[in-house]
Amino acid sequence: MPDRLMLLDTASLYFRAFHGLPDTLRRADGTPVNAVRGLLDMIARLVAEFRPSHLVACWDDDWRPEWRVALIPSYKAHRVAEARAGMPDIEIVPAQLEQQLPMIRQVLASAGIAVVGAPGFEADDVAGTYASHADMPVDVVTGDRDLFQLCDDERQVRVLYTARGMKNLEVFTEVSVVERYRVLPRQYADFATLRGDASDGLPGVAGIGEKTAASLLLRYGTLEALLEEAAAPASTVAAPVQARLAAAAEYLRSAPAVVRLVRDLSLPGLEEAGAALAPLPAARRRDLERLAGEWNLGGSVGRLVGALLRPEQ
């Protein structure tokens, strides 16, 4: 089987798992385990169906980086539970999910699944860096549309989009992005900047929705070229659009850097990170079986172990 790298937007998946399974799934001490169980089942399903040779669980070391907030103060502001000077802000996370995050880290480590984050950056940036430099095909698993920026048919980078659930995964390629949004993946950050994204606290340009944003990028190619043309003495940009762009000038100077994924982080290589999947050694399997019993993880661990029994190439 050919090599293929799978990159997980881990927070996107464990939030979905937490909300998708009942919180009546608990350990003997009453600690909920629905997110742990659900995430393990998701990974088992993904590995079994798409057969990656390498897997990285990309982690949010900083879910709301200060450098992004400095550019756009509203960035994810509606999701802040507590602001902390000089430290990452605390995100609004249900207490019952917060309890499970250390368990998720522990069970992924026991399963030999690489977890990689970067101080001051989001999981999206980790995925962006690995996907941009991989020497093999890449599947990025996420419910975040911003990662459509990474789709690249020539390099065989695609997005497995989870918004409709794990049973209805949508596979986005470069062609799919164009069909859905009428922009190329390399234009997607400019498109999202113009359109805005309420889920990330990005206001966009008032009066410019998806259709207008796509038509402007179809004509002018990039946001930079659009703004240059809008400011030209004999501009071909319609007067109402010129006015809207001018009113949003400060936002448009800052937002593109917030929306664009970082692709040049200093990260451990796949070998160093331990990303290659392999059947689990006996000691790790025993550790997982112990955790499965102690944490009431049901058949989730067994399904993951079975999925990791990848045939030798």
Side-chain angles (χ1 to χ4, degrees):
M1 297 177 67
D3 283 348
R4 177 174 290 275
L5 171 62
M6 178 171 283
L7 302 169
L8 306 179
D9 178 3
T10 315
S12 170
L13 297 183
Y14 64 60
F15 267 97
R16 176 170 290 277
F18 175 76
H19 290 293
L21 291 176
D23 62 7
T24 52
L25 296 171
R26 293 174 179 265
R27 298 188 326 199
D29 66 1
T31 303
V33 294
N34 55 333
V36 185
R37 277 195 182 197
L39 178 63
L40 295 183
D41 279 336
M42 287 178 182
I43 296 174
R45 183 188 185 107
L46 289 162
V47 170
E49 181 172 353
F50 294 98
R51 309 313 301 174
S53 59
H54 297 72
L55 177 66
V56 176
C58 303
W59 202 264
D60 279 326
D61 275 12
D62 190 341
W63 68 279
R64 186 176 184 248
E66 179 57 35
W67 63 270
R68 282 191 164 110
V69 175
L71 291 168
I72 301 291
S74 63
Y75 182 64
K76 296 185 178 179
H78 58 297
R79 290 158 54 182
V80 175
E82 180 185 344
R84 302 187 296 177
M87 300 176 65
D89 293 335
I90 297 176
E91 185 178 12
I92 297 172
V93 177
Q96 292 181 338
L97 174 56
E98 189 77 36
Q99 290 176 282
Q100 298 181 65
L101 299 185
M103 289 190 284
I104 288 172
R105 292 293 297 253
Q106 186 174 343
V107 77
L108 291 179
S110 295
I113 293 174
V115 177
V116 180
F121 293 91
E122 301 175 56
D124 290 3
D125 302 312
V126 175
T129 296
Y130 277 126
S132 298
H133 298 279
D135 59 0
M136 63 184 77
V138 180
D139 287 333
V140 181
V141 185
T142 185
D144 186 346
R145 293 182 296 175
D146 285 340
L147 287 160
F148 292 161
Q149 298 173 50
L150 299 175
C151 291
D152 185 329
D153 291 353
E154 183 176 354
R155 296 188 57 250
Q156 299 183 68
V157 178
R158 59 188 186 178
V159 168
L160 309 182
Y161 189 49
T162 64
R164 296 173 57 200
M166 295 301 295
K167 293 182 180 179
N168 298 290
L169 283 176
E170 296 180 86
V171 179
F172 272 84
T173 63
E174 192 170 340
V175 170
S176 307
V177 173
V178 173
E179 289 176 345
R180 176 71 63 89
Y181 297 105
R182 299 296 185 239
V183 296
L184 294 165
R186 65 175 177 268
Q187 296 173 305
Y188 193 86
D190 288 348
F191 170 73
T193 296
L194 288 165
R195 175 202 64 201
D197 189 339
S199 67
D200 281 340
L202 297 173
V205 177
I208 293 183
E210 287 197 354
K211 290 183 178 179
T212 302
S215 66
L216 290 170
L217 291 171
L218 176 63
R219 181 167 186 181
Y220 298 104
T222 66
L223 176 58
E224 181 180 7
L226 168 63
L227 294 176
E228 287 180 0
E229 180 60 26
S235 177
T236 58
V237 178
V241 174
Q242 290 183 53
R244 290 171 185 143
L245 295 173
E250 183 176 353
Y251 163 77
L252 290 172
R253 280 192 292 271
S254 303
V258 174
V259 179
R260 288 190 201 105
L261 301 176
V262 178
R263 300 179 184 231
D264 58 357
L265 294 178
S266 179
L267 299 175
L270 296 180
E271 183 176 356
E272 182 184 355
L277 293 179
L280 293 176
R284 277 189 172 171
R285 189 175 301 191
R286 286 193 297 270
D287 187 42
L288 276 174
E289 290 169 351
R290 176 184 61 80
L291 292 178
E294 291 179 1
W295 292 356
N296 186 30
L297 297 182
S300 299
V301 164
R303 286 186 284 274
L304 178 61
V305 170
L308 293 175
L309 292 173
R310 187 173 185 269
E312 294 296 327
Q313 297 182 26

